[in-house]
Structure formats: structure tokens, C-alpha cells
Amino acid sequence: MRIIDYIRGAKSSLQKFSDIQAVRGGSKIKLLLDHAWCHFCYGSNIDDYILGGMYRMAGLERCDFLSNDRRYKLMAKYNPASALPLCDQKPQLYRHLAAYIRRQWCNPCDCSYEEFAAFAKAVPRFLVKPSNGSCGEGISVADTTGWDSTRLRDLYQQLSQRADRPMVEAILHNHPDLDLGNASLNTLRIITLRHLDGTVEVVCAVLRAGQGDTITDNTATGGAVYDVDLGTGIICNYGWTSHRRDIVRHPGTDIVMPGRQVPYFAEALDMVRRAMAELPEVRWIGWDVAITPDGPAVIEANTAPCNHALQYMHPDRGWYGWVKREMKK
Amino acid sequence: MNPAVILKALSRRYSQLSEIQAIRGGYKPLIFADYLVCNLLNGSTYEDYEQLGLWRMSQRERRGAYTTRRVDTVNNRYNDRQRHLCLSSKKAQYELVGQHIHRCWIPTWLCDEEEFKTFVSRFPRFIVKPDGGMMGQGVRIIDLTGATPGAVTACYQQLHSQPSHLLAEQMLANHPAMQFGNEGLNTMRIITLRHLDGRVEVLCAALRVGSNGSLTDNLATGGVAYPIDPCTGCISGHGRAHDTALHVTHPGTDKIMPGHRIPHLHQALDMVKQLAADIEGLRWIGWDVAVTAEGPVVIELNTRPGCYSLQALHPETAWYRRIKQLMKS
């Protein structure tokens, strides 16, 4: 990372502290020191402190806060290292959960040119994803419509030699009810937990929707997150972005989000329960599930899901202690 | 005060803390001590401590929270005392608000029998409220449909002689879009603040809906409050009752509340803003506004609106601090 990026990052972080200070008053230095204290004692990062509302919490509540470092601790404890490649390496996951992927894909690093060409012929416009990427980083769209074999072979060679071992997959489309005027596929993040007796519990679900022309729905790229009620599949509260926590209309549109029904929601929950059963070693997964006109499709399985879906979106309790307690049942 | 009564109250509070302890863990005596400190320093009742989430907040956040004792502080500081005392009578409020009441009413302790009979002939089923009542206490329906003149006279004499002055009012019906399967009238609580330069700002709006067959929509009588987004006019989040549960569907019905659009909301906001600008001596008012098929109707105004519609429904903001800031501008 270049120095200029560090400076930009620090400037943006300081701006976040200034925003809080403007609302709650007090000294910015105290806030920064308190943030440093939280980082040391509770393993929080700046998003935990500001977006997760840690700055508002009493000491005992902070002890229970599911912070950034703690989610990695949970992952290390409950998701064995031997099972991680199956979830984190997309080609392996796609092969293992073929019934739930519901789209064509191919891995240029592991397939012949002929197989890649056959894929490109069937799906001329496709997504290129790093095999082990996260937060939507490194994803791009390739359009090979009308390409001759020379160009296609060049692309194949370029992809197969890339260090991030990208894979290519068909672009899925949103269900019409989830078409929110943005370019990206909007996905549900569903967090599941497996108890000691093997029963799978769905802990929470949120809808992540991108904004404008970005091709991913992550908050890091301007997307918004909305809490979905597990009983009804309805968006039931304000949404939030990385800057605001009171989103009612989806950013850049007039679409009112609370009260919106997520289609095929019960099917999506059922699907992740069944998919979890096929990963018996893993106890804690954040599933990304797209809702297409034909039903839900697994996009990926995260073994260390970001804490925004759980802790930031459901701040009424500290989830770290809760997860530890549930894992013992 | 009788020490036995104090001890009994403290003991009841101590046993109630089990619910908080179940969520946050820790030692009950320490939580109890924290509750007492919070009560002394921040003027919070046990209900505030539990329902406003004060038990989760840092000391600094607690100092900014809008608690029950601070309701009085704000009222004493920003509302004229004489005006406040005068407007604790509903009769005085109705006379002040004038045509925005949109219903017929008579003070039963002042009217003569003929006036009462004329009122009953027009509205044989009417509602009776104590003139100085609050939180829906003492509100009841009297139905004199088909009653004999003797029964009407007896009713008049009974109401007329009540030491707690009673108002008889025409019953209003909810707008079709404001019917949620409950019996009573559902009202919005809109809180307005007048700045030093005379501008009126709407701080929040919440819809209160009765449940369990209650005639009133007050939270004290089992109602549920839902936050309203003033820009879109939609219910924007979970409902909260006088417990820690969050409601997506209204209790006792299958009506999904988030996303529900409130009819005539902007008309109601304009009406209360105009009224708040015109009322001398009161800078801080909570308006109860019903929406009928004809439009918004003022039910009453509160010079010391409770903390629930602000601090519980919008917990991100330290409302006491914010109110003090806004009052200076």
C-alpha cells in the first residue's frame, strides 16, 4: 500500500471521529484514546468502535461485543483449519455444493482452453472473481461477445497465469422484487451456527444491496445493509451504509426499504440449512445467497463472516458471549 | 416515606434485574448497584434502565440520554410553568387548539342537563376522559343508544358529580389505512421543538397502536410504538412495547408494520408545526394526532412528552444532549 493510501485512510478515520464528536460532544483525543483502549482490550477496529456503536457502551457490554479480532478467534476455535479451503476456495466450494450454486462456472487455472471456450460460448458475458477474494475485491465483468478464438485464448492465458487464480462464472440476475435500480447482484447474508448435537440454527439474515453502477453489494463499495426478519422475510428496520445508520430509502433511489418482502426467503433459509449439513466440520458460516427469478442460489460461504450482519445490525446485545454459549449446546 | 415501602420497592427491582442479567451476564448485586447509580445521576426509572438500554451505555452516553427525570427538566427549562399548568387540562387544550380538534366535546362538570342531552342525541356512543388524565387512565366508552330519558339523566348526574372532571367527546374512527385490528383510536406522537428564532422542527414521529382489546393506544395500556420516517411517511422500524421485545407484526394480528404508509402525514406535520409556532410560552410539545378519513385531528398536546418515543425508538441519539443543543439555536 502506498503512503498516500495510509494518509487517506487516516484522514477518513479522523473524519469519522469528528462526526461522532459533533453529535456527542467531548474531546476527540479522549475518543481516540478510548478507541485505542477498545482495540487493545476487546480487539475492535475503527468500524466496530464507530459503526458498531462501541463508543456508546459500558465496559461490561464491550466485554461481550463481537469485535473484529473476536470473530477470527471464533473462526479459529470452531471452524477447523482443515475445513477452511473447502469454504474459502470458491472452485472447491462450487464443486462441493453444486446443487445450490445454480449457475455455470469454470476455473481457467484448472481447465483446458477448450472447456473455457465452451463456457465463453455459452456465457459470453461473465464475472471474473479471485478464487479466494473477499469484500468484492478484484471482481470484474468480462464481455466476450463477438470475440475470435485468438482474443479468447489471450484472455484464457492471462486468467490462468494470474496469481489470484481467478474463476469465471455466469452473471446471475436479481429477482424483480430485489431490483433496486443498482447494477450489482443483491445478496442475503445469512449466518448459521451448528450446535454440538448437529442441529443448525439460523442466527440472522440481512439483505445487502449495492448502489449505482458498482458491481458488488458490499458496504465497502457503497452498498447498504438491511435487517430481515427471520419469521416473515420482511425488511424490518432502518438500513445502514458505512456512513449512515438511518436509511429508509435505498441510496440513490426512491425505493422505501422497510416493509419490503424478500422473495423465496423461506427457501433460502432451508437451502443454507441443507448446505450447512454438507459441511459437517464447520460450525459457523456466513452465507451469501442471491435471490434470482428462479429461486435462491449460494454465492459463497464465509467462515469468518463480517460482524456487521450480527453485531452492528442487532446491537441490543453483545453477540460474542452469546455465540460462545450457543456453541457449547 | 415508609422505609418498609422503599425496601419492598427495591426488592422488587432487584428481582426484576434477572432479565437483564440473563442477557448481559455478570453479578446481580453489581447490576443493581449500577441501576441505583444510574437512577441517582441520570434520573432514570427502572423502566428507563431496562427499556432505553441504559444498562448497556457508558457513563458519558447516559449523561446525554433523555430519561424520565429529564422529561421534567426539559419541560421546566423550556416551557413556561404557568402555561404548562394551564394546559394540563384537556379543556384548556381543546380551546387553545380550536378547530384542529375536529370533534364535538362537552365538559360534563360545567354543562347543564339540556346540553348533555343534546350532545347524547347527536352522539349516543361517546368517549369519556378525565380532564387532567394522562397515559389513557380513566378513558372509557359510554353507549346510550336507545337509552330512556331517565337513563340519560342518571348518566348526566353521575358524570356531572364526578370529582375528577370528565370530558365527553364524540368518538372518532381511524382512517381505513390506520386500522390494525384493534378497538381504539391509533395516534401519532409527534414531538416539536421551537428554536429561538421561532422556527419549528419536528424531532420525531411515532405511531402508537393499541393491543389486547385496549381502548387506548398508550404504551402503559399495552400499546406498541413504531417509528415513522417523516420524509417518506412510512413506518421505518420495529415496534417496541413496554418490554424488550421487538415487533414486526402487530401483536394479536398478522399485520406487518414496517413499510406501512401513514395517510395524511405531511398534512399532520404541517398542522402541528403551525400550532407549535403559534402557541406562546411552549417550546417543547408532544402532539397526539389521529388520522381520520377526513384528515389529521389533534387529540391532545403534552408539555412533558415521555422519553420513550425519542430515546427508545431512536437509541442512536443522545436526545437530552441534542435537545439542549437545539434549544440554543
Side-chain angles (χ1 to χ4, degrees):
Chain A
M1 195 188 256
R2 292 177 307 165
I3 291 176
I4 191 82
D5 292 331
Y6 277 115
I7 295 171
R8 277 199 194 120
K11 214 172 159 185
S12 139
S13 302
L14 280 175
Q15 184 56 46
K16 288 179 184 172
F17 280 103
S18 302
D19 292 346
I20 293 181
Q21 190 204 14
V23 178
R24 78 196 288 261
S27 142
K28 203 194 291 187
I29 300 289
K30 273 190 187 169
L31 268 178
L32 285 165
L33 287 174
D34 189 43
H35 164 53
W37 171 256
C38 285
H39 177 67
F40 258 115
C41 297
Y42 312 109
S44 62
N45 61 12
I46 195 162
D47 279 349
D48 291 338
Y49 189 74
I50 293 174
L51 284 176
M54 221 170 172
Y55 69 93
R56 303 176 61 230
M57 290 180 182
L60 202 54
E61 292 317 299
R62 290 174 172 182
C63 291
D64 244 3
F65 188 92
L66 180 57
S67 65
N68 192 50
D69 285 4
R70 284 168 172 176
R71 76 183 163 109
Y72 285 111
K73 271 188 195 165
L74 285 179
M75 180 192 79
K77 191 165 182 188
Y78 298 111
N79 291 342
S82 58
L84 296 188
L86 185 56
C87 296
D88 295 342
Q89 293 294 327
K90 290 186 178 74
Q92 287 193 43
L93 181 80
Y94 284 18
R95 266 192 289 272
H96 193 73
L97 299 180
Y100 311 111
I101 297 300
R102 290 190 168 172
R103 60 192 178 278
Q104 288 179 277
W105 62 279
C106 104
N107 184 2
C109 300
D110 281 345
C111 73
S112 64
Y113 167 71
E114 284 69 29
E115 285 171 302
F116 177 72
F119 169 82
K121 192 180 174 190
V123 188
R125 194 165 178 270
F126 50 81
L127 278 182
V128 181
K129 276 184 182 177
S131 289
N132 192 17
S134 64
C135 298
E137 283 167 5
I139 296 180
S140 59
V141 175
D143 192 348
T144 59
T145 314
W147 282 20
D148 58 16
S149 58
T150 317
R151 277 185 86 185
L152 206 56
R153 190 176 284 276
D154 284 349
L155 177 66
Y156 168 73
Q157 279 174 352
Q158 189 194 333
L159 294 175
S160 56
Q161 285 162 12
R162 258 169 59 175
D164 59 356
R165 299 178 61 82
M167 52 184 295
V168 294
E169 59 181 69
I171 297 174
L172 290 177
H173 296 287
N174 288 311
H175 186 283
D177 291 355
L178 286 185
D179 188 358
L180 304 174
N182 61 309
S184 71
L185 188 68
N186 302 319
T187 58
L188 288 169
R189 163 64 59 90
I190 305 173
I191 293 186
T192 54
L193 174 152
R194 188 199 312 282
H195 292 283
L196 285 175
D197 63 1
T199 52
V200 174
E201 180 176 349
V202 175
V203 180
C204 72
V206 296
L207 175 70
R208 303 178 311 169
Q211 187 186 169
D213 292 331
T214 58
I215 57 168
T216 60
D217 58 2
N218 303 68
T219 48
T221 54
V225 187
Y226 303 94
D227 188 17
V228 182
D229 177 51
L230 289 179
T232 57
I234 297 272
I235 293 172
C236 58
N237 212 346
Y238 294 97
W240 65 266
T241 63
S242 53
H243 302 290
R244 290 180 57 192
R245 291 194 60 105
D246 57 350
I247 304 289
V248 174
R249 286 192 175 112
H250 187 61
T253 72
D254 274 342
I255 300 168
V256 174
M257 296 305 287
R260 214 172 168 81
Q261 173 78 52
V262 175
Y264 292 118
F265 186 69
E267 288 84 347
L269 296 188
D270 185 46
M271 191 176 81
V272 295
R273 281 195 187 99
R274 283 185 284 124
M276 185 92 177
E278 299 201 15
L279 298 167
E281 282 187 85
V282 189
R283 296 190 60 196
W284 178 249
I285 298 186
W287 300 91
D288 287 354
V289 176
I291 306 291
T292 71
D294 305 320
V298 167
I299 300 296
E300 62 186 49
N302 300 277
T303 48
C306 294
N307 32 15
H308 64 243
L310 195 56
Q311 185 65 68
Y312 298 3
M313 197 48 102
H314 306 91
D316 281 355
R317 73 182 324 148
W319 287 93
Y320 183 52
W322 183 87
V323 173
K324 285 197 294 185
R325 282 194 295 278
E326 291 299 309
M327 286 292 190
K328 286 175 189 158
K329 288 181 186 171
Chain B
M1 208 176 192
N2 188 345
V5 174
I6 296 176
L7 277 176
K8 201 173 167 188
L10 287 176
S11 140
R12 197 175 69 241
R13 293 303 183 217
Y14 186 79
S15 58
Q16 281 175 317
L17 287 170
S18 302
E19 213 171 299
I20 294 176
Q21 191 199 18
I23 300 172
R24 79 184 295 202
Y27 296 106
K28 209 163 154 186
L30 285 182
I31 302 174
F32 187 62
D34 184 54
Y35 154 64
L36 292 178
V37 170
C38 190
N39 176 284
L40 282 174
L41 298 182
N42 305 292
S44 61
T45 60
Y46 176 76
E47 286 71 23
D48 295 346
Y49 188 72
E50 185 193 14
Q51 290 155 18
L52 306 183
L54 289 170
W55 55 276
R56 307 182 65 240
M57 291 183 190
S58 66
Q59 282 302 337
R60 178 164 182 83
E61 291 308 307
R62 287 175 178 184
R63 282 202 293 276
Y66 186 50
T67 60
T68 297
R69 193 164 69 204
R70 289 173 179 155
V71 167
D72 288 321
T73 310
V74 169
N75 177 37
N76 293 339
R77 196 176 291 174
Y78 302 111
N79 287 341
D80 178 73
R81 184 165 169 74
Q82 287 307 316
R83 198 74 162 150
H84 157 68
L85 289 174
C86 169
L87 289 178
S88 59
S89 151
K90 287 192 172 55
K91 177 176 172 287
Q93 290 180 18
Y94 293 1
E95 285 166 353
L96 181 74
V97 176
Q99 84 274 15
H100 296 289
I101 293 294
H102 288 295
R103 61 193 183 275
C104 294
W105 59 278
I106 50 167
T108 59
W109 72 100
L110 294 176
C111 70
D112 60 29
E113 193 175 333
E114 279 314 304
E115 283 173 313
F116 183 74
K117 280 183 173 167
T118 312
F119 177 82
V120 170
S121 66
R122 288 180 66 197
F123 310 108
R125 194 162 183 266
F126 56 91
I127 202 156
V128 171
K129 286 179 182 174
D131 183 49
M134 55 201 288
M135 293 196 287
Q137 285 163 354
V139 177
R140 65 182 201 270
I141 293 174
I142 293 181
D143 193 351
L144 293 177
T145 313
T148 60
V152 175
T153 305
C155 178
Y156 167 74
Q157 283 169 350
Q158 193 209 351
L159 296 177
H160 185 71
S161 59
Q162 285 284 329
S164 59
H165 295 160
L166 295 175
L167 288 168
E169 289 183 26
Q170 170 191 354
M171 285 188 73
L172 294 175
N174 286 311
H175 186 285
M178 293 280 275
Q179 287 169 357
F180 302 102
N182 61 313
E183 197 183 346
L185 195 64
N186 302 315
T187 61
M188 290 183 282
R189 165 62 58 90
I190 304 173
I191 294 188
T192 57
L193 175 151
R194 194 171 63 220
H195 292 273
L196 286 174
D197 59 6
R199 277 177 304 121
V200 173
E201 185 175 342
V202 171
L203 277 201
C204 82
L207 174 68
R208 301 174 314 169
V209 184
S211 64
N212 303 326
S214 168
L215 185 62
T216 59
D217 58 1
N218 300 69
L219 301 185
T221 55
V224 182
Y226 301 90
I228 299 172
D229 176 52
C231 297
T232 59
C234 291
I235 293 176
S236 52
H238 304 109
R240 284 179 185 259
H242 257 326
D243 54 25
T244 44
L246 303 173
H247 298 278
V248 174
T249 51
H250 187 62
T253 72
D254 55 2
K255 179 76 192 165
I256 290 165
M257 300 303 283
H260 188 86
R261 196 173 287 276
I262 307 295
H264 302 297
L265 179 74
H266 291 109
Q267 209 181 326
L269 296 181
D270 290 344
M271 179 179 76
V272 295
K273 274 168 130 176
Q274 187 58 53
L275 286 167
D278 292 345
I279 295 177
E280 286 297 313
L282 299 179
R283 294 184 63 197
W284 177 246
I285 304 177
W287 302 86
D288 288 353
V289 177
V291 183
T292 67
E294 284 76 38
V297 173
V298 172
I299 298 299
E300 64 181 45
L301 60 97
N302 301 275
T303 51
R304 47 182 302 282
C307 45
Y308 207 78
S309 47
L310 276 175
Q311 195 64 64
L313 293 184
H314 306 275
E316 302 290 324
T317 308
W319 282 101
Y320 183 55
R321 192 176 292 134
R322 177 129 180 84
I323 292 164
K324 286 195 292 183
Q325 280 170 355
L326 290 172
M327 286 292 188
K328 286 178 192 160
S329 60

